[in-house]
Amino acid sequence: NILGRYSNHYNDESSIVLQIYFDYTESEDDFFVDKRETTDIDFHHNFILPRQNIIWGAGFREIKNRTDHMGNMGSFVLDSDKKTDHTTTFFFQDEITLVENTLFLTIGSKFEKNDYTDHESQPSIKLGYQYNANIFFWGSLAKAVSTPSRTASDAYLDFNAFNDTCSPAFGFTSDPELGCIIPINYEDLKANTLYAKELGYRQIFSERLSIDNTLFYYDYRQSSGSTHLTDYVWGYEGVLNYQANNDWKLEASWTYNRGRNATNDKTLDDVPVNSGFFSSYYTFNEKIDVDLSYYYAGHTDKQDRYSRVDLRLGYHYSNTLEFSLVASNLFDSKHTEGNGDSKRANTNIERAIIGKISYKFP
């Protein structure tokens, strides 16, 4: 993958950012080969008016997907083997000062056009109250959508080996073009919708120590084609930031989740009750910095609890050129991060070494 970003601060009241990236991925197993090219263009413009801070932008994404299956019985197949998807987005956000240094209202929305559900909108509103210099309260309402992918619209299992005995009695479908298959796609595609309600509280204890607390309630409205139907999730998230000294920063987070499944009206069982992370960011000198991160997710009915440790080493060759190396999943050869979806194979997250080069044009 390669990413380029251009930014320009015209003055204290106006700035723009233009970002373009291209990403290529290829994956292969005993049944299926997937090749994907993603091109993404994203533009933001931020400008300040009296008592208003406005940001708007637009984006375009093209995904070219090529697939092939090995012809094994029960192979996962996408019809057709070549497809190009497009997504166009537009968004705006306006932060309005209702009472100077005290009361703030933020409104905005994202609008999207995609090839599966056509037009979608994601509005949000947030009210913030600055109680004093160190304490800030806020509440928000938002709508988010998750649009379907090719897996939901084009997928089936290949059972052409049973063409002579292809019968609905055995769960098969005889397609004039595809042969003997088991469809796992959905004709009535709809976006999954989430209505989020949040209350937050931030306190700065000193120049070095601060904490963010959030209570949340997420109401899910999912299409019948979704594999896991969630009714609602509620919980708490806390984030603690501590600046030990000028060179060393510590951050810790803990999240508590509870909820209910819509499919069986039981307690939510595919999201961990407890999860969290701890990160250390240390700058040795002007050239070298080291980040160490620990992640934890608790046990669910679909997966065992797991931990992950990542180590990052950054080297600033100059003011414009930086090299970094990340060792991910350092102490575990592999673990599963999934929810036991019976309609796809869950891939283990393996230990990985990731290299990155960043160059800033002067």
Side-chain angles (χ1 to χ4, degrees):
N1 61 74
I2 183 170
L3 181 148
R5 182 184 297 115
Y6 171 78
S7 61
N8 193 333
H9 292 265
Y10 296 105
N11 49 52
D12 293 339
E13 287 79 34
S14 180
S15 63
I16 65 169
V17 177
L18 175 64
Q19 177 177 288
I20 303 174
Y21 78 76
F22 174 81
D23 179 90
Y24 175 82
T25 61
E26 180 176 342
S27 60
E28 180 179 342
D29 57 27
D30 293 336
F31 295 90
F32 189 71
V33 178
D34 181 83
K35 299 178 181 180
R36 186 167 304 182
E37 299 174 8
T38 302
T39 303
D40 188 277
I41 304 173
D42 194 47
F43 172 78
H44 292 181
H45 179 208
N46 180 220
F47 61 97
I48 299 175
L49 300 175
R51 305 178 74 89
Q52 289 180 273
N53 186 356
I54 299 173
I55 181 170
W56 70 274
F60 175 79
R61 175 175 293 185
E62 179 185 78
I63 301 177
K64 295 181 178 180
N65 187 215
R66 302 190 304 276
T67 62
D68 191 17
H69 69 288
M70 304 307 185
N72 297 334
M73 184 177 66
S75 289
F76 178 85
V77 187
L78 293 176
D79 179 36
S80 64
D81 58 355
K82 294 181 180 180
K83 189 173 183 180
T84 300
D85 293 332
H86 300 95
T87 302
T88 305
T89 60
F90 173 81
F91 79 93
F92 78 93
Q93 178 179 289
D94 187 2
E95 181 180 321
I96 306 168
T97 300
L98 301 178
V99 179
E100 190 71 26
N101 299 322
T102 303
L103 195 61
F104 308 91
L105 176 67
T106 302
I107 58 174
S109 185
K110 180 180 180 181
F111 303 94
E112 174 184 295
K113 185 181 186 303
N114 66 80
D115 292 339
Y116 295 97
T117 62
D118 202 17
H119 293 86
E120 301 288 349
S121 64
Q122 301 179 74
S124 64
I125 183 170
K126 178 179 179 180
L127 185 66
Y129 173 58
Q130 190 75 51
Y131 178 73
N132 57 36
N134 299 319
I135 297 177
F136 183 77
F137 297 97
W138 58 271
S140 70
L141 299 172
K143 173 192 172 186
V145 298
S146 174
T147 55
S149 64
R150 291 201 67 192
T151 304
S153 66
D154 305 333
Y156 66 92
L157 301 179
D158 183 357
F159 283 93
N160 277 290
F162 296 125
N163 265 337
D164 294 338
T165 58
C166 192
S167 169
F170 299 103
F172 299 130
T173 297
S174 182
D175 186 276
E177 296 182 3
L178 304 177
C180 189
I181 65 171
I182 296 180
I184 55 175
N185 54 8
Y186 307 97
E187 296 181 357
D188 185 20
L189 289 178
K190 295 181 180 179
N192 293 329
T193 304
L194 164 67
Y195 295 94
K197 304 172 185 179
E198 298 181 338
L199 291 174
Y201 158 70
R202 179 185 305 127
Q203 182 165 1
I204 301 174
F205 297 99
S206 67
E207 292 182 355
R208 298 188 181 275
L209 181 64
S210 65
I211 188 171
D212 283 88
N213 303 275
T214 304
L215 295 173
F216 57 85
Y217 180 90
Y218 298 152
D219 183 10
Y220 290 82
R221 308 292 171 85
Q222 296 173 278
S223 64
S224 58
S226 299
T227 305
H228 298 280
L229 294 176
T230 302
D231 192 356
Y232 62 82
V233 176
W234 62 269
Y236 163 83
E237 182 179 54
V239 180
L240 186 69
N241 288 281
Y242 179 62
Q243 190 75 41
N245 53 48
N246 293 335
D247 301 320
W248 191 17
K249 179 184 176 181
L250 301 173
E251 183 178 5
S253 172
W254 172 61
T255 303
Y256 177 81
N257 289 293
R258 300 298 287 171
R260 188 179 70 175
N261 285 324
T263 49
N264 52 23
D265 200 27
K266 293 183 178 180
T267 302
L268 192 68
D269 57 4
D270 54 6
V271 176
V273 175
N274 293 287
S275 60
F277 74 87
F278 173 81
S279 296
S280 169
Y281 311 95
Y282 189 78
T283 302
F284 278 94
N285 50 47
E286 294 180 354
K287 296 289 186 181
I288 298 175
D289 48 64
V290 177
D291 304 334
L292 181 66
S293 300
Y294 169 80
Y295 301 88
Y296 170 81
H299 170 82
T300 73
D301 286 356
K302 304 291 193 288
Q303 69 177 27
D304 295 330
R305 67 172 180 261
Y306 66 86
S307 301
R308 191 180 93 230
V309 176
D310 295 349
L311 178 65
R312 174 189 173 275
L313 175 64
Y315 177 69
H316 301 267
Y317 180 81
S318 66
N319 291 332
T320 58
L321 183 61
E322 178 185 350
F323 302 91
S324 61
L325 191 66
V326 177
S328 180
N329 214 22
L330 197 60
F331 299 120
D332 190 7
S333 60
K334 60 184 179 180
H335 66 266
T336 300
E337 295 182 17
N339 50 19
D341 191 338
S342 61
K343 296 182 178 177
R344 67 169 185 264
N346 287 316
T347 302
N348 283 319
I349 306 299
E350 298 182 336
R351 183 181 295 122
I353 304 296
I354 304 166
K356 182 180 177 181
I357 301 174
S358 299
Y359 182 77
K360 296 181 180 179
F361 293 90

